């Protein structure tokens, strides 16, 4: 939550973003459960001749994660390959350790979900490996000694699980179920806080690793590994696409996306240049934090434009709207609606919490910012509209015409829309 104002996207937009990311991984989970339960014989026939497919898919994902700087997904791929190796029975382990192994990996996944990508420098790799080892050893010690102490107090969980399905108690003990549920909740909350594809893939990994003890066949573990490797690849490619084609600050398509989108337009479209009025003065008066929130606010309003329009951040406080298959007269009502929506939105500046230490003396500019906190202000934007024509067929020329119209809107008093003077 920003200190100054409660801007941000609308609640429905925020919930839609969560649903959009969750839907992909939930659909993938449903497909996995369906095929493993209903088509198990078919899957076994497919994967028995391919015992290496899980290792190969995880190795490919790990290499791509290395190239994309996704250190958490890299470590997850390595750890899943190790888990797959042990479940294949290549090394004889005690039955207790075999039982603990998926749970230890669950706890490590929970830790990685809450950590940050730390890169691949030798120093960071050693530190991350040390932390993973500490989490693994700590998890093993907890699983080895704590259940005996808590056995009586957790008996209601045993009774509850037995009431639902007796097989649940064969899968995990009551204390182990607590670890599974805690890790699931932790990763889900983390996903809600940061709704991106990386955290969605990590949440899916937790669910599928928790399911592994229910499927004893190594070939089915291969299926789960293949699914997870695919989800990691999707997450990395999708997030990398967003980084390349979405503006990080405003979360709307960026200038690069605009230039790519232009190639898909036909012979008839309208370009609208938008600029926030007095933004530099606003930024200097209230600070860059408030300025960033203003940019997010304007972007969120522009992104709601109707009439088939599409919003892009062009740079700084400038935005571009594209209306395919529209004339300026057809696009004008939608531009006016957005202009009015921005002008009518009050921005409530809020006081910062009192600092623990005595602040250093501030300049006159900083003093003005402090005095201004706690009041409500409004912002406006000016718009210039131009169309593609036989005379101006290149996008760069149309942008220049829209920019001239924007300058005319500024000259006309700002907070208005001006059409470029173009031949019909």
């Amino acid at each position: 939550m920003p200190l100054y104002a409660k801007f941000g996207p609308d609640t429905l937009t925020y919930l839609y973003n969560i649903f959009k990311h969750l839907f992909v991984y939930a659909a993938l989970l449903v497909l996995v459960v369906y095929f493993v339960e209903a088509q198990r014989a078919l899957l076994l026939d497919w994967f028995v001749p391919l015992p290496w497919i899980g290792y190969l898919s995880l190795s490919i994902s790990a290499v791509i994660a290395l190239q994309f700087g996704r250190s958490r997904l890299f470590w997850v791929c390595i750890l899943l390959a190790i888990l797959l190796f042990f479940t294949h029975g290549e090394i004889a382990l005690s039955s207790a350790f075999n039982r603990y192994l998926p749970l230890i990996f669950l706890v490590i996944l929970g830790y990685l979900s809450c950590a940050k990508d730390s890169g691949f420098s030798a120093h960071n790799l050693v530190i991350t490996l040390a932390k993973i080892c500490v989490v693994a050893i700590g998890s093993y010690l907890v699983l080895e000694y704590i259940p005996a102490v808590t056995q009586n107090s957790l008996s209601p969980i045993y009774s509850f699980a037995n009431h639902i399905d007796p097989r649940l108690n064969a899968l995990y003990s009551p204390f182990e179920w607590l670890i599974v549920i805690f890790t699931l909740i932790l990763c889900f909350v983390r996903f809600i806080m940061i709704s991106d594809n990386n955290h969605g893939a990590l949440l899916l990994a937790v669910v599928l690793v928790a399911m592994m003890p229910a499927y004893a066949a190594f070939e089915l573990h291969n299926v789960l590994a293949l699914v997870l490797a695919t989800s990691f690849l999707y997450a990395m490619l999708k997030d990398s696409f967003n980084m390349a084609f979405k503006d990080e600050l405003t979360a709307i398509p960026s200038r690069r996306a605009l230039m790519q989108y232009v190639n898909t337009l036909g012979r008839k479209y309208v370009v609208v240049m938008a600029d926030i009025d007095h933004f530099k003065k606003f930024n200097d008066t209230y600070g860059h934090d408030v300025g960033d929130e203003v940019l997010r606010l304007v972007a969120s309003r522009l992104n709601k434009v109707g009439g088939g329009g599409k919003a892009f951040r062009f740079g700084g406080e400038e935005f571009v709207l594209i209306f395919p298959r529209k004339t300026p007269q057809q696009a004008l009502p939608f531009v006016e609606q957005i202009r009015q929506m921005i002008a009518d939105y009050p921005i409530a500046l809020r006081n910062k919490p009192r600092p623990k230490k005595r602040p250093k003396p501030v300049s006159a500019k900083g003093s003005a910012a402090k005095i201004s906190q706690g009041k409500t202000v409004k912002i406006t934007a000016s718009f210039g509209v131009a169309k593609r024509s036989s005379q101006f067929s290149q996008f760069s020329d149309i942008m220049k015409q829209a920019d001239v119209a924007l300058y005319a809107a500024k000259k006309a008093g700002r907070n208005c829309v001006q059409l470029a003077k173009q031949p019909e």
Side-chain angles (χ1 to χ4, degrees):
M1 185 74 65
L3 293 172
Y4 294 99
K6 190 178 180 180
F7 301 121
D10 295 335
T11 303
L12 288 178
T13 305
Y14 173 71
L15 293 176
Y16 169 74
N17 186 51
I18 293 175
F19 173 79
K20 179 179 66 175
H21 287 95
L22 189 61
F23 176 79
V24 175
Y25 300 100
L28 195 57
L29 176 62
V30 170
L31 286 175
V32 169
V33 172
Y34 167 74
F35 278 103
V36 170
E37 291 293 336
Q39 306 292 334
R40 185 176 301 191
L42 181 63
L43 288 177
L44 289 174
D45 289 340
W46 284 354
F47 283 89
V48 164
L50 305 172
W52 43 264
I53 191 67
Y55 298 114
L56 177 63
S57 58
L58 289 171
S59 299
I60 293 172
S61 293
V63 170
I64 295 178
L66 187 66
Q67 295 295 319
F68 281 37
R70 296 289 191 268
S71 59
R72 290 181 299 171
L73 293 184
F74 170 81
W75 283 111
V76 172
C77 290
I78 299 299
L79 292 170
L80 285 174
I82 294 173
L83 178 61
L84 203 61
F85 178 79
F86 282 123
T87 56
H88 196 191
E90 297 288 349
I91 298 178
L93 299 171
S94 66
S95 58
F97 189 79
N98 272 330
R99 183 182 179 87
Y100 296 158
L101 203 55
L103 293 165
I104 293 172
F105 276 78
L106 274 182
V107 177
I108 295 174
L109 286 173
Y111 159 71
L112 290 174
S113 179
C114 295
K116 295 180 180 180
D117 286 316
S118 56
F120 295 101
S121 67
H123 177 262
N124 287 337
L125 284 174
V126 170
I127 290 178
T128 304
L129 181 60
K131 289 179 178 179
I132 290 174
C133 291
V134 169
V135 172
I137 294 171
S139 302
Y140 175 79
L141 293 176
V142 167
L143 288 166
E144 181 69 20
Y145 297 107
I146 298 299
V149 179
T150 59
Q151 185 174 1
N152 293 332
S153 58
L154 296 179
S155 57
I157 298 178
Y158 180 88
S159 302
F160 179 73
N162 196 57
H163 178 73
I164 297 175
D165 190 336
R167 290 176 297 179
L168 294 176
N169 285 319
L171 194 61
Y172 291 117
S173 70
F175 183 77
E176 292 167 352
W177 272 116
L178 284 182
I179 292 178
V180 172
I181 293 170
F182 173 78
T183 307
L184 284 171
I185 292 175
L186 177 66
C187 292
F188 184 74
V189 170
R190 183 67 174 171
F191 170 76
I192 295 297
M193 293 171 61
I194 307 176
S195 300
D196 60 14
N197 290 289
N198 275 348
H199 288 89
L202 288 170
L203 178 60
L204 179 65
V206 169
V207 175
L208 292 185
V209 169
M211 289 169 52
M212 275 189 172
Y215 305 108
F218 171 73
E219 290 75 17
L220 295 181
H221 292 172
N222 254 336
V223 174
L224 300 184
L226 179 62
V227 169
L228 284 176
T230 304
S231 71
F232 296 159
L233 287 174
Y234 170 81
M236 288 184 284
L237 293 175
K238 188 67 176 176
D239 281 346
S240 296
F241 173 85
N242 290 338
M243 288 174 63
F245 292 96
K246 275 197 173 182
D247 181 62
E248 184 177 6
L249 177 64
T250 61
I252 67 172
S254 64
R255 185 170 181 168
R256 180 179 294 178
L258 168 65
M259 303 314 294
Q260 186 186 59
Y261 182 65
V262 167
N263 296 326
T264 68
L265 298 173
R267 294 178 174 271
K268 182 181 179 182
Y269 61 88
V270 171
V271 176
V272 181
M273 285 285 291
D275 186 271
I276 302 173
D277 296 329
H278 301 296
F279 180 74
K280 185 178 185 305
K281 182 180 178 182
F282 191 94
N283 218 16
D284 291 341
T285 303
Y286 302 114
H288 292 285
D289 290 341
V290 178
D292 288 347
E293 293 297 336
V294 168
L295 290 171
R296 293 190 190 100
L297 166 67
V298 172
S300 69
R301 294 305 180 264
L302 291 173
N303 210 31
K304 294 179 180 178
V305 66
K310 191 172 178 64
F312 303 84
R313 187 182 181 194
F314 194 68
E317 67 270 24
E318 289 185 324
F319 298 86
V320 172
L321 297 172
I322 302 291
F323 290 89
R325 300 176 297 280
K326 289 284 191 299
T327 64
Q329 289 71 27
Q330 291 172 327
L332 187 59
F334 301 104
V335 180
E336 279 286 356
Q337 184 182 28
I338 290 296
R339 181 198 63 78
Q340 194 64 49
M341 190 185 301
I342 294 171
D344 290 343
Y345 194 90
I347 302 173
L349 303 177
R350 306 195 307 172
N351 292 321
K352 289 185 179 181
R354 183 184 297 274
K356 294 181 179 180
K357 296 183 179 180
R358 183 177 178 179
K360 296 180 180 179
V362 295
S363 62
K365 184 185 294 184
S367 299
K370 282 194 172 185
I371 294 170
S372 63
Q373 293 169 8
K375 72 175 185 178
T376 299
V377 297
K378 289 188 176 182
I379 57 170
T380 59
S382 301
F383 298 82
V385 183
K387 67 175 182 178
R388 185 191 184 278
S389 64
S390 57
Q391 184 179 355
F392 302 104
S393 59
Q394 297 298 316
F395 182 72
S396 57
D397 295 332
I398 307 168
M399 285 288 292
K400 289 177 183 177
Q401 291 296 304
D403 196 48
V404 170
L406 175 61
Y407 179 76
K410 296 284 188 180
K411 204 170 180 180
R414 296 179 168 83
N415 190 27
C416 63
V417 181
Q418 290 288 323
L419 301 180
K421 295 179 181 179
Q422 297 174 281
E424 294 297 329

